[in-house]
Amino acid sequence: MTQPSSQFDNDGLLAWLLEDQQQLTAVEEFSQQHAVDGLPSQAKYYQKLMPASPPGEGEQYAFEVNLDACSGCKACVVACHSLNGLDENETWRDVGLLVGGTTSNPVMQHVTTACHHCIEPACMIACPVDAYEKNPETGIVRHLDDQCFGCQYCTLACPYDVPKYHSGKGIVRKCDMCADRLAVGEAPACVQSCPHEAIAIQIVSIDEVKENAEVDPFLPAAPDPVITYPTTIFKTNRVLPRNTLPADYRSINPQHPHWPLIIMLVLTQLSVGAFAVGHFLTTSFDGAFVEAFQPVQATLALALGLMALGASTLHLGRPQYAFRAVIGLRHSWLSREIVAFGLFAGAASSYAASIWLFGGTAGITQTLGWSVLGTGGLGLFCSAMIYVFTQREFWNLNRTLTRFVLTAVVLGLATSWLALILVSFTLDSNLLSHQQLVGRQFAFWLIVMTAIKLIWEGGIFLHVMNRRNSPLRQTATLMTGPLANFTIARNALGLLGGIVMPAFLLKSASLATPLATVELKNLIMVGMLFIACLIGEFLERYLFFAAVATPRMPGGPRP
């Protein structure tokens, strides 16, 4: 301590001593700052990567990625994995690669990405159980693990492949920007771990994010930011070549087929179609034939429909919480589908019971029949909108709704024809002429509708000639490449069950002679026809899931 000079009087000495007491040592300053501000011990390394104040009105937190600083070391991936206790193959942050330039001047750019905490998160809108919430103050989109029942719809709805399904836990999980850390002024694990300070937390204006999305400045070949308005900022001082694309841009791989959904979709559409055929058949034939045919046909349609609803629970990671599915009715098409098919199941059960109790031509039965058609049609539309919402080009409204309606018609005819043959064993001889006429009508319309469906499905192959690597071209390439066996089998079974066998039966003598002598032969033929059509539609729906392609965030090189 420097002593005051002798010229200082007593007052000057006292003032100097008081001033000196206010000067803390480095240790004292650090201790006081840590005690007062509660700063973590490593704050000096990342404090500049954090905003000085929390978001204000019309603002939210966002990741900022400095592409010039990212080296692709994946330290951020390891830190996120370690902090959140993820499984070996589970990641909430990924590192991709952009490539471009020329052979003499190639460009390679690593990109680290995680959840973009979108302004309008598709995962949250799609979720039927409200297992997502967007904090109104910070804008962070968090997943509520306890609320989730593992339907995985958010994994389809998110354009950026952010939510990851954990089969062991039966739920989906994702990045939450280490919200607990941010709440106490500590940076997320990925921000702290990056040795190049390539990741930071910034505050963005919600209005500016929406304005910027209009000019699509996000990342090359990434999903359109207008879909959800992602907030992540990717910045660089370099001008990337115009041909810069993800390293895996031209790699196409089959997607997850979701077999429980395949079974559910095909059988619900079969049930709706069969009820429609049975209901409208009552307006064309006399009461005696209807009284004999409808109980068997309605029971068969109901049984297959209930089987479909049971199969849908197999897709849930935690089926014991299936009752929560109606929570998101206001915003989720999946909730709406579940409610619609729940009403359909109730109406169909009442309709089938009414047929057995009062007959197919009774007034109450006719009224219930219209309610079955209404709820079934609503459920079919909601099923289509579930996939339309994801904004995949192969799943647009026209393609998806047309596909589902044609499946309902084809399988509805095949199922009704099978019921017709089963009824033939109990029909009186004076009603056999009605059955012969109906059988011919079923054969004719099954051929027509199957031909329309197969030709319509085949239209996708025209996109193979498209020079641009569009999602539809990728779908067509998948169907003619890795999925070619499924494509061939689907078309072969469709032709066999929907065209060849009905044409054979239509021309055979079995439809022109008393059916009492050929019931068994017809039952075997129509049973085979029904199985061929059903398996063909299962394969068609498999391709619907496995062959879908969509723009994605940059990934690494793939074979």
Side-chain angles (χ1 to χ4, degrees):
M1 180 184 299
T2 303
Q3 298 294 331
S5 62
S6 58
Q7 64 197 37
F8 281 2
D9 55 19
N10 291 336
D11 291 339
L13 177 61
L14 181 60
W16 178 84
L17 290 172
L18 290 174
E19 182 182 357
D20 185 69
Q21 284 184 332
Q22 304 303 314
Q23 304 299 319
L24 302 179
T25 65
V27 174
E28 291 171 332
E29 286 182 357
F30 178 82
S31 177
Q32 185 181 67
Q33 186 180 33
H34 188 83
V36 174
D37 299 333
L39 294 176
S41 59
Q42 300 296 310
K44 63 180 180 180
Y45 297 115
Y46 60 77
Q47 196 169 26
K48 64 181 179 181
L49 302 175
M50 295 279 290
S53 60
E57 185 176 355
E59 297 177 331
Q60 74 163 70
Y61 285 129
F63 284 116
E64 180 183 81
V65 177
N66 184 350
L67 296 177
D68 298 338
C70 181
S71 66
C73 68
K74 299 187 179 180
C76 54
V77 178
V78 174
C80 176
H81 188 282
S82 177
L83 176 69
N84 293 291
L86 306 185
D87 287 352
E88 182 178 356
N89 297 319
E90 188 180 15
T91 59
W92 292 357
R93 177 168 283 277
D94 299 293
V95 175
L97 185 66
L98 295 172
V99 295
T102 62
T103 54
S104 59
N105 186 26
V107 172
M108 183 176 69
Q109 175 63 64
H110 291 96
V111 182
T112 175
T113 63
C115 178
H116 303 299
H117 300 280
C118 305
I119 304 299
E120 297 178 3
C123 57
M124 185 178 72
I125 299 172
C127 182
V129 296
D130 287 352
Y132 289 89
E133 64 177 9
K134 185 173 177 66
N135 189 295
E137 297 179 356
T138 64
I140 295 173
V141 179
R142 302 189 68 172
H143 181 262
L144 309 178
D145 292 358
D146 292 340
Q147 184 69 9
C148 178
F149 70 162
C151 71
Q152 306 169 55
Y153 184 30
C154 56
T155 65
L156 296 177
C158 175
Y160 308 104
D161 193 30
V162 167
K164 304 294 173 60
Y165 179 66
H166 191 293
S167 58
K169 298 182 182 297
I171 61 172
V172 168
R173 305 198 294 177
K174 73 168 210 60
C175 158
D176 63 355
M177 203 183 277
C178 293
D180 293 340
R181 290 190 167 203
L182 283 176
V184 295
E186 186 174 0
C190 56
V191 175
Q192 292 192 39
S193 65
C194 181
H196 308 295
E197 300 182 346
I199 309 174
I201 302 297
Q202 297 291 349
I203 293 176
V204 296
S205 166
I206 293 175
D207 290 338
E208 288 183 6
V209 170
K210 292 183 177 181
E211 291 172 359
N212 292 337
E214 294 294 332
V215 295
D216 194 11
F218 202 46
L219 279 176
D224 189 346
V226 173
I227 298 175
T228 61
Y229 298 114
T231 62
T232 301
I233 304 167
F234 295 98
K235 68 176 187 178
T236 177
N237 293 324
R238 296 184 297 167
V239 178
L240 297 176
R242 292 180 61 185
N243 66 342
T244 301
L245 292 169
D248 60 345
Y249 179 69
R250 300 191 183 279
S251 299
I252 54 173
N253 298 279
Q255 302 299 305
H256 191 292
H258 300 283
W259 275 108
L261 294 184
I262 291 173
I263 296 172
M264 186 277 292
L265 287 172
V266 171
L267 292 186
T268 52
Q269 289 155 26
L270 176 154
S271 184
V272 172
F275 274 113
V277 171
H279 180 72
F280 287 112
L281 200 64
T282 62
T283 63
S284 304
F285 293 90
D286 61 30
F289 174 75
V290 170
E291 294 293 335
F293 169 72
Q294 274 204 305
V296 175
Q297 195 261 3
T299 302
L300 182 60
L302 175 63
L304 292 172
L306 295 178
M307 186 185 302
L309 298 182
S312 66
T313 62
L314 299 177
H315 192 252
L316 301 180
R318 300 199 296 177
Q320 66 270 29
Y321 298 114
F323 63 90
R324 295 177 178 173
V326 300
I327 293 175
L329 186 60
R330 293 181 297 105
H331 54 81
S332 174
W333 282 107
L334 182 54
S335 288
R336 295 165 185 168
E337 180 202 44
I338 291 169
V339 170
F341 276 125
L343 295 174
F344 169 74
S349 299
S350 300
Y351 177 61
S354 179
I355 288 174
W356 283 100
L357 294 174
F358 307 111
T361 58
I364 186 174
T365 304
Q366 291 293 307
T367 301
L368 288 171
W370 285 110
S371 69
V372 171
L373 296 186
T375 54
L378 178 61
L380 193 149
F381 177 76
C382 291
S383 291
M385 289 305 300
I386 286 174
Y387 304 98
V388 173
F389 177 79
T390 66
Q391 300 201 36
R392 288 161 166 78
E393 195 169 353
F394 186 50
W395 290 350
N396 69 17
L397 180 60
N398 177 51
R399 291 187 180 88
T400 304
L401 189 58
T402 301
R403 182 185 303 272
F404 288 5
V405 169
L406 288 175
T407 294
V409 174
V410 168
L411 292 183
L413 288 167
T415 304
S416 297
W417 197 356
L418 179 62
L420 182 69
I421 298 301
L422 292 174
V423 169
S424 68
F425 289 93
T426 61
L427 284 179
D428 295 334
S429 57
N430 61 337
L431 295 178
L432 290 178
S433 60
H434 291 293
Q435 193 219 26
Q436 294 170 15
L437 177 60
V438 174
R440 293 190 185 95
Q441 291 294 319
F442 283 165
F444 172 78
W445 284 111
L446 183 58
I447 292 171
V448 171
M449 299 310 298
T450 300
I452 291 174
K453 191 170 193 295
L454 292 177
I455 293 172
W456 180 84
E457 289 176 16
I460 189 67
F461 301 116
L462 297 176
H463 293 277
V464 173
M465 299 179 289
N466 191 343
R467 293 185 177 182
R468 190 175 71 87
N469 190 36
S470 67
L472 290 181
R473 182 189 178 188
Q474 293 177 25
T475 293
T477 303
L478 276 171
M479 293 175 68
T480 56
L483 299 174
N485 290 337
F486 291 95
T487 304
I488 294 170
R490 185 276 171 277
N491 284 282
L493 288 171
L495 286 170
L496 178 64
I499 295 178
V500 175
M501 295 181 73
F504 174 78
L505 287 171
L506 190 61
K507 293 181 179 180
S508 69
S510 61
L511 288 179
T513 58
L515 290 179
T517 63
V518 291
E519 291 94 343
L520 183 59
K521 175 184 176 181
N522 281 347
L523 178 61
I524 294 173
M525 289 291 291
V526 175
M528 293 174 60
L529 172 154
F530 170 78
I531 292 173
C533 287
L534 183 61
I535 296 177
E537 291 303 313
F538 281 142
L539 292 175
E540 178 268 299
R541 205 51 45 86
Y542 173 89
L543 293 170
F544 175 77
F545 285 104
V548 66
T550 182
R552 56 181 181 262
M553 297 299 287
R558 299 184 186 181

